[in-house]
Structures are given as C-alpha cells and as structure tokens.
Amino acid sequence: RQRIFSAMQPTSDSLHLGNYLGALVNWVSLQDAYDAFYGVVDLHALTVPTDPAVLRERTRRTAAQYLAAGVDPQRSTLMAQSLVPEHTELAWILACHTGFGEASRMTQFKDKVAKGQTANVGLFTYPILMAADILLYDANLVPVGEDQRQHLELTRDLAERVNARFPETFVVPEPYIVKGSAKIQDLQDPTAKMSKSISADLGLIDLMDDPKRIVKKIKSAVTDTEREIRFDPENKPGVSNLLVMHSTLSGTTVADLERAFEGKGYGDLKAEVADVVVAAIEPFQSRMAELLADPAEIDRLLAEGSAKARLVAADVLERFHDRLGLLPRR
Ligand code: TYM
C-alpha cells in the first residue's frame, strides 16, 4: 500500500474551515486506500512563543479534532512530531543539502516577516523540518492546501537531490491538492485565504465556533454587487467561495449548485451554505466534547501512534545515515 503523510500545527484551540475543507476532509477519505500517518507538528509550533500549558492543550485538541473529523486511529497512525526525534535529526541533514538562497525564496516565510512576525532561525528553516516529516515515512502522497505547494516543491527537490547522489534513498512525494477546496477564502476579504494568523474573527469559521456565530458569519460574508450566483473566482470571489464550501460538504457539484440557485438571491445561497456547514459541524462538536472529556486517552493514542511511526522513521533515517557514511546505530 502507498503511504501518506500530512500534518497540522497546534497553533490555535480550534482548526478553521480552511484546514477542514482543504486538508482534513481528504485525510479522512484517503485513509482507507493508503497507509496514512497524520501528525501534530508541535515542534513547528515553537517558531511562535507559546505558553507551555497552552501548547500542550492545543496539541491534544488538534489531535482530537482529527479524530472528531473521522480520522480512525485503528486505520491511520496518529503521531506527535516531538515524540519522534528522527524528525529533527533528518532536518539537520537536509539543511546541509539546502541552498541558503533556495530557503530564502520560501514565500510563506517572506510573507510572515513582511507582516511583522519576528523571524527566528526556526521560522526560516521550518520548510526543511517539513521536508523531513514527509521523507521520513517514504510518503507517496501529501494531502495539503494550496498554501503548502511551494514547501512540497522544496521537499521534492531535496529528495531528488539526495537521490542523485545516493540513488533510491527517498521516495519523491506528490502533492495531493484538490482544486477549489485547497484554498478556502476569508469571508470578509474573499481575495485572501482564510488564515488563523491573519483573518479577522468575522472572516474565519472556527470548527469550535458556536453554530449561531457560524450562521452569522456566513450571512455577513462579503459578496459583490451583482445578483447572479455563478462560479467565477476572478470576478466573484465571495460567491465562488460559498459555492466551494457548499459543494465540498454536500458533495453536489458546483455546476449543479449554479443550476439549483438560478433565479435565487445571495441570501438564499448564504442560508443554505450556513445549513450545510452547521450540519457538518454539529456532530463534529459533540464528538469533540466526548474526546476532550478524556484527555489521557488522547495522550495515549498519540504515544502509541508515535511509537509506531518511530519504527518506520528510524529505518528510513538509518538507510540515509548509512549512505552518507555515518556510523551504524545498531
Ligand atoms: P497549517 O497548520 O498552517 O495548516 C494545516 C492544513 O490546512 C491547510 N489550509 C488550508 N486549506 C484550504 N484553505 C485554507 N484557507 C487553508 N488554510 C490552511 C494547509 O494547506 C494545511 O494542509 N507547514 C504545514 C504543516 C506541516 C505539514 C508537514 C503538512 C508540517 N509538516 C508535513 C504536510 C506534511 C502548515 O503550517 O499547515
């Protein structure tokens, strides 16, 4: 069976609808056909200073949200990055294969710095640790949103570079980025992506938001001055964003939605999108309430999954160590 690796940062108490539609929905649907590893990348979250108790809680909550969305720990391996030390070990070696200019071209880093985030060296080398996350599992496929495309390109470049010197060391991973849902836009500024670090409260739907707030946020979404409900991200980003949300959750194609909403108004579209989103989120939230009632069980699942992940990661790292000329461990 082919492998999947993907992960999210535990940088907030709740994932948002972009994380859910752009990534998590696909994690769930891919776990049957693939041998899947899903991580909470707590070391990546250290690039932003966070209160220790808050970080620990967010790591648990992030894992719980994977489970609440339908990731099944019997079928998929749930892991925490810091519990598998091979991630940081491989990141060092990959850093020695990354050009300084190449790392400097990462747009997410440049954007964060431009928006005033103080840049530590960890934020700069972040994509290299991400490459290590993926390459350690011989992952064939990486389901992520559009904003991770450049990081995936770097991962592929690093794998190919290493393979050119030491043939067949790494599997070169393919991105799995679904057109449309891979870039859920901010409700208040539909020309920008929904983002936990940038979006204003009204622009972003948290999966843990009160359903009443969710309805309110969708009803106040920015659209345009026309009336026609048509998928046209260029000229009608707000309406197109709502159509994508509906389509991804309801399974109705955008073309069918356009037909169904012919002659209807934006108010009708918003009301129906709100219904569809709330219908998905309500069972998610009740599952979260059950999971959070037993945090020790989440810790147990993470520890168990991480031990399993480590068996794979240690083999892949050992293979690379051997080719590089480092001494054998065992
Ligand atoms: P993170 O934690 O910022 O986001 C988690 C996932 O959500 C996707 N995403 C979106 N998708 C659609 N629309 C949006 N508005 C939107 N916002 C976020 C992201 O693309 C991502 O798939 N660097 C990664 C975490 C990471 C990782 C990895 C991912 C670390 N190691 C290895 C895959 C494989 C990140 O910061 O994602």
Side-chain angles (χ1 to χ4, degrees):
R1 270 208 307 174
Q2 294 222 313
R3 283 260 170 75
I4 284 187
F5 184 91
S6 197
M8 301 200 193
Q9 296 193 69
T11 41
S12 63
D13 291 344
S14 174
L15 300 178
H16 60 69
L17 197 62
N19 303 135
Y20 184 71
L21 298 179
L24 202 43
V25 165
N26 299 322
W27 293 13
V28 174
S29 65
L30 291 168
Q31 67 184 338
D32 285 318
Y34 289 84
D35 182 20
F37 289 75
Y38 296 130
V40 181
V41 285
D42 48 0
L43 296 173
H44 273 120
L46 296 179
T47 54
V48 181
T50 307
D51 177 83
V54 171
L55 177 61
R56 204 169 285 127
E57 180 63 18
R58 286 178 173 172
T59 298
R60 287 191 188 112
R61 288 178 71 97
T62 302
Q65 288 174 91
Y66 299 171
L67 300 171
V71 169
D72 175 2
Q74 301 298 325
R75 284 179 286 168
S76 299
T77 305
L78 188 67
M79 55 87 61
Q81 190 184 35
S82 63
L83 298 180
V84 183
E86 284 77 6
H87 289 242
T88 42
E89 295 181 39
L90 178 58
W92 167 257
I93 304 175
L94 292 177
C96 297
H97 289 78
T98 310
F100 189 80
E102 186 177 32
S104 308
R105 282 193 292 276
M106 294 294 114
T107 53
Q108 207 164 59
F109 172 77
K110 290 197 286 188
D111 287 351
K112 283 186 175 168
V113 174
K115 283 185 183 107
Q117 185 169 335
T118 23
N120 50 53
V121 176
L123 189 67
F124 182 68
T125 60
Y126 175 117
I128 303 173
L129 179 58
M130 174 165 166
D133 297 339
I134 297 165
L135 299 181
L136 265 180
Y137 296 94
D138 285 340
N140 306 94
L141 206 65
V142 185
V144 285
E146 182 62 42
D147 59 355
Q148 298 302 315
R149 188 183 288 280
Q150 195 190 27
H151 294 158
L152 255 295
E153 270 311 310
L154 175 70
T155 305
R156 289 171 53 84
D157 288 347
L158 288 172
E160 280 165 357
R161 188 170 306 153
V162 168
N163 287 347
R165 193 166 162 223
F166 306 112
E168 293 182 26
T169 299
F170 290 125
V171 171
V172 181
E174 296 287 336
Y176 182 91
I177 298 174
V178 178
K179 220 167 153 273
S181 60
K183 196 167 179 221
I184 299 298
Q185 306 291 63
D186 184 306
L187 292 171
Q188 288 298 310
D189 176 6
T191 61
K193 72 163 180 174
M194 188 179 284
S195 153
K196 54 193 153 195
S197 53
I198 298 159
S199 295
D201 178 56
L202 260 188
L204 175 134
I205 294 177
D206 267 332
L207 300 183
M208 296 305 285
D209 270 346
D210 180 341
K212 286 200 209 70
R213 288 279 304 147
I214 293 176
V215 173
K216 182 165 178 250
K217 287 179 182 182
I218 293 173
K219 293 206 165 154
S220 39
V222 168
T223 48
D224 54 62
T225 52
E226 293 180 10
R227 293 168 126 188
E228 203 193 343
I229 296 175
R230 166 167 60 83
F231 184 73
D232 177 356
E234 192 75 9
N235 301 303
K236 300 170 77 71
V239 169
S240 304
N241 194 34
L242 293 171
L243 286 169
V244 166
M245 286 178 189
H246 190 314
S247 169
T248 310
L249 288 169
S250 67
T252 316
T253 64
V254 167
D256 282 344
L257 289 174
E258 284 176 332
R259 230 163 287 132
F261 280 102
E262 222 170 291
K264 294 189 182 164
Y266 290 171
D268 302 311
L269 174 65
K270 288 176 173 180
E272 206 174 302
V273 170
D275 282 348
V276 170
V277 172
V278 168
I281 274 180
E282 269 174 349
F284 172 90
Q285 291 188 353
S286 47
R287 185 87 185 92
M288 274 300 279
E290 288 166 28
L291 289 160
L292 293 177
D294 189 0
E297 174 63 7
I298 300 170
D299 289 6
R300 194 191 65 75
L301 286 171
L302 280 169
E304 191 180 84
S306 301
K308 230 177 98 189
R310 204 171 172 192
L311 297 176
V312 177
D315 272 354
V316 175
L317 186 64
E318 185 67 16
R319 179 168 84 210
F320 192 24
H321 272 196
D322 179 54
R323 295 189 185 167
L324 283 162
L326 300 170
L327 294 179
R329 284 197 176 171
R330 294 163 282 183

